[in-house]
Amino acid sequence: MGKPTIQTLIDGKIVFEPLDWQNNTILASFGTDSVQPQIETDRFEYVLDGASAIIKHKESGNIFEPLPCQQIYSDGANNFTALNGYFDVSDGYEEVLPTFGSIERSNRVLVKFKQDKSITGFVDQIQGVSFGSLLNDGLISSQDYTTIPTAIMKRANFLEVATILLTLYLIQKQIADTVRQIRETLRDIAAFIATIPSGSIGAAIYTTASLLLQVAYAVALIAILVKLITDLIALLLPPIVKNKGIKFRTLLQKSCEKFGYTLVSPIPELDTYHFLPSKPYSNETNILKDLIPLNVATKEGIPNPSDYGYLMNEFWDLMKSMFNTKIAVVGSEIHLRNADDEYWLKHSTFKPRKSINFPTKKYNTDQLKQTRIMSFLTDLNDEWTTENYTGTSYEIKTQSTVNSVNNSIKGLDRIDIPLCLPNNKRTANSIEKLMITLAGFADELSRIIGQNTNFRSKIESNRINVLKISQNDYGTAKIVPLVGGQLPPNHRDILSAKFLMNKYHFGKSFVQNNGVGQKVIYDSFSIPFTLSDLQKTLENGIFVLDDGREAEFIEINYNFSKDTAECSISVKERYTDKLKEITYEP
């Protein structure tokens, strides 16, 4: 190979190479959020036209704007665009030995390079950006919302049930009294006709008129009672509220579109899980509102500013908590996948150039926690979240099979999901059953006066397999899985702490799947490493060792001039089978 060289392009123009660039390094740090690294370079020192271009960019008031640049390296035989991104003049920028006078000048600058279209860039971009701003900009519209039918159902109490039973009794008594009076009048007419002499027409007319008045009274009374029943049903059995929510995938897609990316994710729950924003209680004093609640529906499906998930970075963090995800930038795509998705390994192209002699070997025993627990929130304003608690939390305890008490397994891995689980209205409660009886009674009364109503069927058909809440004002947002537009009866089977832990967090287990979470760590070893290798690992830090073990980079510190890298990696390797797991779901 020939002598390595560097060529820098600033805003598309070639400038003089940075000073002492051969001793610069690129540090690639692989975290838990991505298979791609965060890139940090030593600061490059530019002079002459390079320094002039950077200073001009800053003096134009663009200190917070990226300055596009590329660095093309040559090993004498091949050229590689190793760094394609921008100079960040707002981070670590420094002018060296400025001259003083009427005009301050500097001929040398120190500046950091940052990779464009990188996972670090995307994570930085979404920080602090709200979904409210996307709504304001028109990236999210009402067309993106999903209607989530919601039944407001308080737990039945004695007073309400007693009131309804008393109402039923009074209605039946009044109807019975009216029917009895009509029957007595009919008997009086029959007796009168049998006893009066021929020609007493006036008395007959009077008696018949009395009957007609009673019948008219009965018809009016029935109409009033039907209205009373329907009003009572409306008061004690609020109608289904058509709240607006939004699909998880839609929020993620809009996040990507905001910054010019498209989302790629095979996680099926993103299409069924919906975010239902909170509906905080108003402190406004309104006696009429308290007596007859309006039960207003949410008009916007995006998270409220008070909800966790209102900010994009919060929502992406929520995906990591729920689905144990890693993300990567592949061209113009953002890939969001489970950490143990086979895709990551299949799309790895880096291979070590020779067998590695590791200087040390450590074990990830510190990553084994005695207890792993996932918990959703409950809401004091929605008593159903505490009434049906099963699924809200799930605990996995890892113990030694040799000594379950006196061992070194310690610590807690707690995953808190700051949203509530939903509750399905599958059957009628006691109040609804009484209301259904009342509605059926109203249907029968209506038919007596020649009207055909279906109050009962409306209640029975519209209030099944919908979300139920105890009051319209609830303080915590919810996750609502919808299948065919309905909340399925088995919703705890597809959304619960247990379901998510078993399906997406199995990779943390030191017991399941042949101890998949057990790994060994090889620190601070040097390997031959080229610019081509760097490009491959910038795309994916997972690879396979020559002995077949799956490995993942923790850190790479690459030196340009030496074509070597100081590395740390983790390797999947089972080193104990004397562990067991105990699960608990309250």
Side-chain angles (χ1 to χ4, degrees):
M1 292 186 181
K3 181 180 179 182
T5 60
I6 183 176
Q7 186 179 77
T8 300
L9 286 79
I10 297 180
D11 215 4
K13 297 180 180 179
I14 299 175
V15 299
F16 193 79
E17 66 184 32
L19 300 179
D20 198 27
W21 66 268
Q22 295 90 343
N23 292 320
N24 279 32
T25 61
I26 294 179
L27 178 63
S29 300
F30 295 79
T32 58
D33 295 332
S34 177
V35 297
Q36 296 174 332
Q38 295 186 18
I39 300 297
E40 183 176 340
T41 66
D42 292 336
R43 290 189 301 175
F44 291 94
E45 186 171 0
Y46 281 92
V47 296
L48 303 175
D49 55 351
S52 177
I54 297 169
I55 291 173
K56 182 179 179 181
H57 178 80
K58 181 266 302 181
E59 289 183 344
S60 298
N62 297 320
I63 193 167
F64 293 106
E65 305 301 323
L67 176 59
C69 71
Q70 295 82 37
Q71 287 186 346
I72 301 172
Y73 294 87
S74 173
D75 58 8
N78 300 292
N79 294 329
F80 299 94
T81 304
L83 299 175
N84 186 9
Y86 58 93
F87 288 133
D88 187 349
V89 189
S90 67
D91 181 14
Y93 172 72
E94 187 176 352
E95 296 175 0
V96 181
L97 298 175
T99 58
F100 292 91
S102 58
I103 299 177
E104 183 178 316
R105 296 290 185 189
S106 180
N107 294 316
R108 294 162 58 192
V109 299
L110 292 169
V111 66
K112 280 185 179 181
F113 177 91
K114 291 191 176 179
Q115 189 80 356
D116 198 13
K117 293 288 183 180
S118 67
I119 198 61
T120 305
F122 177 71
V123 171
D124 287 344
Q125 284 176 315
I126 64 175
Q127 292 293 322
V129 181
S130 71
F131 287 109
S133 67
L134 267 63
L135 180 65
N136 188 60
D137 294 340
L139 287 176
I140 293 178
S141 70
S142 60
Q143 302 298 317
D144 298 309
Y145 301 153
T146 300
T147 299
I148 301 178
T150 306
I152 302 171
M153 290 181 57
K154 293 182 179 180
R155 294 175 62 186
N157 61 57
F158 174 78
L159 181 59
E160 288 176 332
V161 173
T163 301
I164 297 170
L165 290 174
L166 178 60
T167 302
L168 275 171
Y169 168 74
L170 292 176
I171 290 173
Q172 290 175 331
K173 183 177 183 301
Q174 186 63 54
I175 294 294
D177 289 345
T178 303
V179 171
R180 179 179 52 80
Q181 290 174 4
I182 291 174
R183 286 174 178 172
E184 290 177 355
T185 301
L186 287 173
R187 285 198 301 269
D188 290 344
I189 291 175
F192 180 78
I193 292 174
T195 59
I196 62 173
S198 177
S200 300
I201 297 178
I205 292 174
Y206 172 79
T207 306
T208 303
S210 298
L211 174 62
L212 292 175
L213 287 173
Q214 288 181 352
V215 170
Y217 167 74
V219 170
L221 177 62
I222 289 172
I224 292 171
L225 291 177
V226 170
K227 181 67 167 59
L228 174 62
I229 291 172
T230 55
D231 288 347
L232 184 63
I233 291 173
L235 181 62
L236 297 181
L237 201 64
I240 299 296
V241 179
K242 295 182 179 180
N243 287 314
K244 298 298 182 182
I246 192 166
K247 191 183 298 183
F248 273 25
R249 188 178 294 276
T250 301
L251 288 175
L252 295 169
Q253 287 174 332
K254 297 300 181 180
S255 302
C256 294
E257 289 175 17
K258 168 71 175 177
F259 301 104
Y261 295 100
T262 57
L263 174 73
V264 177
S265 179
I267 299 174
E269 286 77 15
L270 299 183
D271 294 303
T272 55
Y273 289 5
H274 292 73
F275 193 103
L276 179 65
S278 64
K279 197 185 298 182
Y281 180 76
S282 173
N283 291 325
E284 176 187 1
T285 301
N286 189 326
I287 297 176
L288 184 60
K289 174 186 173 184
D290 293 336
L291 289 175
I292 307 177
L294 296 178
N295 297 321
V296 177
T298 55
K299 295 181 180 179
E300 296 177 352
I302 63 171
N304 279 327
S306 60
D307 294 337
Y308 184 87
Y310 177 69
L311 300 177
M312 286 185 190
N313 56 289
E314 291 178 345
F315 194 76
W316 283 80
D317 288 342
L318 180 65
M319 298 303 97
K320 178 174 176 57
S321 297
M322 293 180 64
F323 306 115
N324 188 27
T325 56
K326 287 191 174 184
I327 55 178
V329 176
V330 182
S332 61
E333 297 175 342
I334 300 291
H335 282 249
L336 175 72
R337 299 173 181 269
N338 179 252
D340 297 288
D341 193 319
E342 292 183 358
Y343 170 89
W344 302 126
L345 185 57
K346 288 179 180 178
H347 287 73
S348 173
T349 57
F350 172 76
K351 288 180 173 45
R353 296 184 175 273
K354 66 177 185 178
S355 297
I356 305 172
N357 295 318
F358 300 112
T360 64
K361 182 177 182 178
K362 299 189 296 186
Y363 301 83
N364 70 330
T365 52
D366 61 318
Q367 294 180 6
L368 174 60
K369 304 302 180 183
Q370 182 185 56
T371 301
R372 291 186 290 129
I373 184 170
M374 177 184 285
S375 296
F376 288 83
L377 289 181
T378 57
D379 187 355
L380 294 178
N381 290 339
D382 183 6
E383 58 192 11
W384 297 114
T385 62
T386 55
E387 176 76 11
N388 182 20
Y389 187 82
T390 300
T392 303
S393 67
Y394 187 67
E395 178 181 340
I396 301 175
K397 189 178 183 67
T398 304
Q399 295 181 344
S400 168
T401 58
V402 179
N403 187 334
S404 61
V405 178
N406 188 22
N407 59 69
S408 60
I409 305 174
K410 303 289 190 300
L412 171 67
D413 176 15
R414 187 179 187 95
I415 304 172
D416 290 320
I417 310 296
L419 302 173
C420 287
L421 292 177
N423 286 281
N424 191 330
K425 186 190 171 306
R426 291 177 288 182
T427 59
N429 66 357
S430 57
I431 291 180
E432 279 185 313
K433 290 176 181 177
L434 290 171
M435 291 294 100
I436 290 171
T437 301
L438 270 176
F441 193 37
D443 288 333
E444 293 176 3
L445 292 175
S446 297
R447 282 192 287 272
I448 293 175
I449 58 176
Q451 295 183 5
N452 187 18
T453 60
N454 59 348
F455 300 124
R456 181 186 180 110
S457 63
K458 286 182 179 179
I459 295 176
E460 290 180 316
S461 62
N462 293 339
R463 303 179 70 85
I464 300 298
N465 290 331
V466 297
L467 175 69
K468 68 176 179 180
I469 55 176
S470 60
Q471 63 183 51
N472 194 43
D473 303 307
Y474 47 92
T476 305
K478 303 179 191 297
I479 304 173
V480 183
L482 297 178
V483 178
Q486 290 187 321
L487 182 61
N490 66 332
H491 62 91
R492 284 292 197 272
D493 294 337
I494 60 175
L495 172 57
S496 68
K498 179 180 179 180
F499 169 80
L500 293 172
M501 288 283 276
N502 289 337
K503 184 174 181 179
Y504 290 107
H505 292 261
F506 64 89
K508 300 176 182 178
S509 174
F510 275 49
V511 177
Q512 304 299 322
N513 299 312
N514 199 31
V516 63
Q518 297 184 39
K519 299 177 183 178
V520 294
I521 311 296
Y522 298 108
D523 274 337
S524 304
F525 60 90
S526 180
I527 58 173
F529 203 80
T530 66
L531 285 169
S532 175
D533 295 328
L534 177 64
Q535 287 183 317
K536 293 173 183 176
T537 55
L538 292 182
E539 294 296 325
N540 193 330
I542 298 176
F543 63 99
V544 179
L545 294 171
D546 57 0
D547 60 9
R549 289 181 297 167
E550 183 181 323
E552 185 171 4
F553 280 109
I554 299 173
E555 188 174 276
I556 300 172
N557 198 355
Y558 170 62
N559 185 283
F560 294 107
S561 60
K562 297 178 181 178
D563 272 343
T564 60
E566 293 291 321
C567 304
S568 296
I569 64 173
S570 66
V571 179
K572 288 186 177 181
E573 180 180 309
R574 189 176 191 182
Y575 47 81
T576 180
D577 60 358
K578 292 179 168 51
L579 297 171
K580 64 179 180 180
E581 289 182 345
I582 300 172
T583 62
Y584 173 63
E585 184 180 30

